[in-house]
PDB file of all heavy atoms in Angstrom:
ATOM      1  N   ARG A 162     -96.760 -45.684 -20.255  1.00 98.00           N
ATOM      2  CA  ARG A 162     -96.993 -47.130 -20.307  1.00 98.00           C
ATOM      3  C   ARG A 162     -95.712 -47.945 -20.444  1.00 98.00           C
ATOM      4  O   ARG A 162     -95.678 -49.117 -20.095  1.00 98.00           O
ATOM      5  CB  ARG A 162     -97.959 -47.451 -21.457  1.00 98.00           C
ATOM      6  CG  ARG A 162     -99.342 -46.829 -21.249  1.00 98.00           C
ATOM      7  CD  ARG A 162    -100.225 -47.048 -22.457  1.00 98.00           C
ATOM      8  NE  ARG A 162    -100.472 -48.456 -22.688  1.00 98.00           N
ATOM      9  CZ  ARG A 162    -101.523 -49.130 -22.244  1.00 98.00           C
ATOM     10  NH1 ARG A 162    -102.454 -48.514 -21.527  1.00 98.00           N
ATOM     11  NH2 ARG A 162    -101.675 -50.412 -22.505  1.00 98.00           N
ATOM     12  N   SER A 163     -94.652 -47.338 -20.972  1.00 99.00           N
ATOM     13  CA  SER A 163     -93.356 -48.017 -21.110  1.00 99.00           C
ATOM     14  C   SER A 163     -92.262 -46.958 -20.977  1.00 99.00           C
ATOM     15  O   SER A 163     -92.477 -45.791 -21.323  1.00 99.00           O
ATOM     16  CB  SER A 163     -93.226 -48.731 -22.460  1.00 99.00           C
ATOM     17  OG  SER A 163     -94.247 -49.696 -22.631  1.00 99.00           O
ATOM     18  N   ILE A 164     -91.085 -47.371 -20.505  1.00 99.00           N
ATOM     19  CA  ILE A 164     -89.984 -46.427 -20.330  1.00 99.00           C
ATOM     20  C   ILE A 164     -88.700 -47.015 -20.894  1.00 99.00           C
ATOM     21  O   ILE A 164     -88.531 -48.235 -20.982  1.00 99.00           O
ATOM     22  CB  ILE A 164     -89.777 -46.040 -18.853  1.00 99.00           C
ATOM     23  CG1 ILE A 164     -89.679 -47.280 -17.962  1.00 99.00           C
ATOM     24  CG2 ILE A 164     -90.880 -45.109 -18.387  1.00 99.00           C
ATOM     25  CD1 ILE A 164     -89.398 -46.965 -16.482  1.00 99.00           C
ATOM     26  N   GLY A 165     -87.794 -46.121 -21.287  1.00 98.00           N
ATOM     27  CA  GLY A 165     -86.542 -46.590 -21.866  1.00 98.00           C
ATOM     28  C   GLY A 165     -85.528 -45.474 -21.986  1.00 98.00           C
ATOM     29  O   GLY A 165     -85.657 -44.415 -21.348  1.00 98.00           O
ATOM     30  N   VAL A 166     -84.557 -45.706 -22.836  1.00 99.00           N
ATOM     31  CA  VAL A 166     -83.443 -44.772 -23.004  1.00 99.00           C
ATOM     32  C   VAL A 166     -83.146 -44.610 -24.487  1.00 99.00           C
ATOM     33  O   VAL A 166     -83.717 -45.293 -25.332  1.00 99.00           O
ATOM     34  CB  VAL A 166     -82.184 -45.272 -22.252  1.00 99.00           C
ATOM     35  CG1 VAL A 166     -82.426 -45.320 -20.749  1.00 99.00           C
ATOM     36  CG2 VAL A 166     -81.747 -46.646 -22.773  1.00 99.00           C
ATOM     37  N   SER A 167     -82.220 -43.704 -24.771  1.00 98.00           N
ATOM     38  CA  SER A 167     -81.800 -43.476 -26.149  1.00 98.00           C
ATOM     39  C   SER A 167     -80.313 -43.170 -26.145  1.00 98.00           C
ATOM     40  O   SER A 167     -79.828 -42.421 -25.286  1.00 98.00           O
ATOM     41  CB  SER A 167     -82.595 -42.294 -26.728  1.00 98.00           C
ATOM     42  OG  SER A 167     -82.236 -42.030 -28.075  1.00 98.00           O
ATOM     43  N   ASN A 168     -79.591 -43.777 -27.054  1.00 98.00           N
ATOM     44  CA  ASN A 168     -78.152 -43.537 -27.209  1.00 98.00           C
ATOM     45  C   ASN A 168     -77.335 -44.001 -26.003  1.00 98.00           C
ATOM     46  O   ASN A 168     -76.243 -43.487 -25.750  1.00 98.00           O
ATOM     47  CB  ASN A 168     -77.887 -42.047 -27.487  1.00 98.00           C
ATOM     48  CG  ASN A 168     -78.632 -41.556 -28.705  1.00 98.00           C
ATOM     49  OD1 ASN A 168     -78.447 -42.065 -29.807  1.00 98.00           O
ATOM     50  ND2 ASN A 168     -79.516 -40.579 -28.514  1.00 98.00           N
ATOM     51  N   PHE A 169     -77.833 -44.968 -25.260  1.00 98.00           N
ATOM     52  CA  PHE A 169     -77.103 -45.521 -24.123  1.00 98.00           C
ATOM     53  C   PHE A 169     -76.223 -46.673 -24.578  1.00 98.00           C
ATOM     54  O   PHE A 169     -76.690 -47.606 -25.234  1.00 98.00           O
ATOM     55  CB  PHE A 169     -78.072 -46.036 -23.056  1.00 98.00           C
ATOM     56  CG  PHE A 169     -78.515 -44.994 -22.064  1.00 98.00           C
ATOM     57  CD1 PHE A 169     -79.063 -43.789 -22.484  1.00 98.00           C
ATOM     58  CD2 PHE A 169     -78.397 -45.236 -20.705  1.00 98.00           C
ATOM     59  CE1 PHE A 169     -79.485 -42.837 -21.568  1.00 98.00           C
ATOM     60  CE2 PHE A 169     -78.809 -44.286 -19.770  1.00 98.00           C
ATOM     61  CZ  PHE A 169     -79.351 -43.079 -20.206  1.00 98.00           C
ATOM     62  N   LYS A 170     -74.947 -46.605 -24.216  1.00 98.00           N
ATOM     63  CA  LYS A 170     -74.043 -47.719 -24.445  1.00 98.00           C
ATOM     64  C   LYS A 170     -74.151 -48.697 -23.276  1.00 98.00           C
ATOM     65  O   LYS A 170     -74.832 -48.432 -22.280  1.00 98.00           O
ATOM     66  CB  LYS A 170     -72.610 -47.209 -24.592  1.00 98.00           C
ATOM     67  CG  LYS A 170     -72.394 -46.317 -25.811  1.00 98.00           C
ATOM     68  CD  LYS A 170     -70.936 -45.901 -25.933  1.00 98.00           C
ATOM     69  CE  LYS A 170     -70.705 -44.989 -27.125  1.00 98.00           C
ATOM     70  NZ  LYS A 170     -69.282 -44.587 -27.258  1.00 98.00           N
ATOM     71  N   GLU A 171     -73.428 -49.815 -23.394  1.00 98.00           N
ATOM     72  CA  GLU A 171     -73.533 -50.858 -22.379  1.00 98.00           C
ATOM     73  C   GLU A 171     -73.193 -50.331 -20.987  1.00 98.00           C
ATOM     74  O   GLU A 171     -73.889 -50.624 -20.006  1.00 98.00           O
ATOM     75  CB  GLU A 171     -72.620 -52.030 -22.751  1.00 98.00           C
ATOM     76  CG  GLU A 171     -72.732 -53.217 -21.818  1.00 98.00           C
ATOM     77  CD  GLU A 171     -71.912 -54.405 -22.284  1.00 98.00           C
ATOM     78  OE1 GLU A 171     -71.670 -54.544 -23.510  1.00 98.00           O
ATOM     79  OE2 GLU A 171     -71.506 -55.197 -21.411  1.00 98.00           O
ATOM     80  N   HIS A 172     -72.124 -49.525 -20.874  1.00 97.00           N
ATOM     81  CA  HIS A 172     -71.730 -49.061 -19.540  1.00 97.00           C
ATOM     82  C   HIS A 172     -72.716 -48.043 -18.968  1.00 97.00           C
ATOM     83  O   HIS A 172     -72.814 -47.896 -17.750  1.00 97.00           O
ATOM     84  CB  HIS A 172     -70.301 -48.485 -19.554  1.00 97.00           C
ATOM     85  CG  HIS A 172     -70.082 -47.375 -20.521  1.00 97.00           C
ATOM     86  ND1 HIS A 172     -69.788 -47.597 -21.852  1.00 97.00           N
ATOM     87  CD2 HIS A 172     -70.114 -46.019 -20.372  1.00 97.00           C
ATOM     88  CE1 HIS A 172     -69.634 -46.432 -22.465  1.00 97.00           C
ATOM     89  NE2 HIS A 172     -69.824 -45.466 -21.593  1.00 97.00           N
ATOM     90  N   HIS A 173     -73.463 -47.352 -19.834  1.00 98.00           N
ATOM     91  CA  HIS A 173     -74.513 -46.459 -19.337  1.00 98.00           C
ATOM     92  C   HIS A 173     -75.716 -47.259 -18.832  1.00 98.00           C
ATOM     93  O   HIS A 173     -76.427 -46.818 -17.928  1.00 98.00           O
ATOM     94  CB  HIS A 173     -75.003 -45.520 -20.444  1.00 98.00           C
ATOM     95  CG  HIS A 173     -73.949 -44.646 -21.035  1.00 98.00           C
ATOM     96  ND1 HIS A 173     -73.723 -44.572 -22.396  1.00 98.00           N
ATOM     97  CD2 HIS A 173     -73.052 -43.818 -20.455  1.00 98.00           C
ATOM     98  CE1 HIS A 173     -72.734 -43.726 -22.626  1.00 98.00           C
ATOM     99  NE2 HIS A 173     -72.307 -43.260 -21.470  1.00 98.00           N
ATOM    100  N   LEU A 174     -75.940 -48.407 -19.445  1.00 98.00           N
ATOM    101  CA  LEU A 174     -77.112 -49.222 -19.134  1.00 98.00           C
ATOM    102  C   LEU A 174     -76.965 -50.032 -17.854  1.00 98.00           C
ATOM    103  O   LEU A 174     -77.962 -50.337 -17.192  1.00 98.00           O
ATOM    104  CB  LEU A 174     -77.403 -50.190 -20.284  1.00 98.00           C
ATOM    105  CG  LEU A 174     -78.050 -49.624 -21.537  1.00 98.00           C
ATOM    106  CD1 LEU A 174     -77.955 -50.619 -22.678  1.00 98.00           C
ATOM    107  CD2 LEU A 174     -79.514 -49.266 -21.269  1.00 98.00           C
ATOM    108  N   ARG A 175     -75.742 -50.395 -17.496  1.00 97.00           N
ATOM    109  CA  ARG A 175     -75.514 -51.393 -16.453  1.00 97.00           C
ATOM    110  C   ARG A 175     -76.275 -51.116 -15.166  1.00 97.00           C
ATOM    111  O   ARG A 175     -76.988 -51.988 -14.652  1.00 97.00           O
ATOM    112  CB  ARG A 175     -74.017 -51.519 -16.156  1.00 97.00           C
ATOM    113  CG  ARG A 175     -73.222 -52.254 -17.219  1.00 97.00           C
ATOM    114  CD  ARG A 175     -73.547 -53.734 -17.231  1.00 97.00           C
ATOM    115  NE  ARG A 175     -72.762 -54.467 -18.229  1.00 97.00           N
ATOM    116  CZ  ARG A 175     -72.950 -55.750 -18.509  1.00 97.00           C
ATOM    117  NH1 ARG A 175     -73.904 -56.430 -17.876  1.00 97.00           N
ATOM    118  NH2 ARG A 175     -72.213 -56.356 -19.416  1.00 97.00           N
ATOM    119  N   SER A 176     -76.131 -49.915 -14.607  1.00 96.00           N
ATOM    120  CA  SER A 176     -76.758 -49.649 -13.313  1.00 96.00           C
ATOM    121  C   SER A 176     -78.277 -49.573 -13.432  1.00 96.00           C
ATOM    122  O   SER A 176     -79.000 -49.945 -12.495  1.00 96.00           O
ATOM    123  CB  SER A 176     -76.202 -48.357 -12.702  1.00 96.00           C
ATOM    124  OG  SER A 176     -76.419 -47.267 -13.579  1.00 96.00           O
ATOM    125  N   LEU A 177     -78.787 -49.120 -14.574  1.00 98.00           N
ATOM    126  CA  LEU A 177     -80.235 -49.054 -14.764  1.00 98.00           C
ATOM    127  C   LEU A 177     -80.843 -50.450 -14.843  1.00 98.00           C
ATOM    128  O   LEU A 177     -82.002 -50.660 -14.456  1.00 98.00           O
ATOM    129  CB  LEU A 177     -80.581 -48.268 -16.034  1.00 98.00           C
ATOM    130  CG  LEU A 177     -80.731 -46.742 -15.892  1.00 98.00           C
ATOM    131  CD1 LEU A 177     -79.452 -46.097 -15.367  1.00 98.00           C
ATOM    132  CD2 LEU A 177     -81.137 -46.115 -17.219  1.00 98.00           C
TER     133      LEU A 177
END
Side-chain angles (χ1 to χ4, degrees):
R162 296 174 63 94
S163 301
I164 51 177
V166 296
S167 180
N168 303 301
F169 273 53
K170 296 183 181 180
E171 184 175 333
H172 57 276
H173 301 128
L174 284 166
R175 286 290 181 186
S176 58
L177 272 59

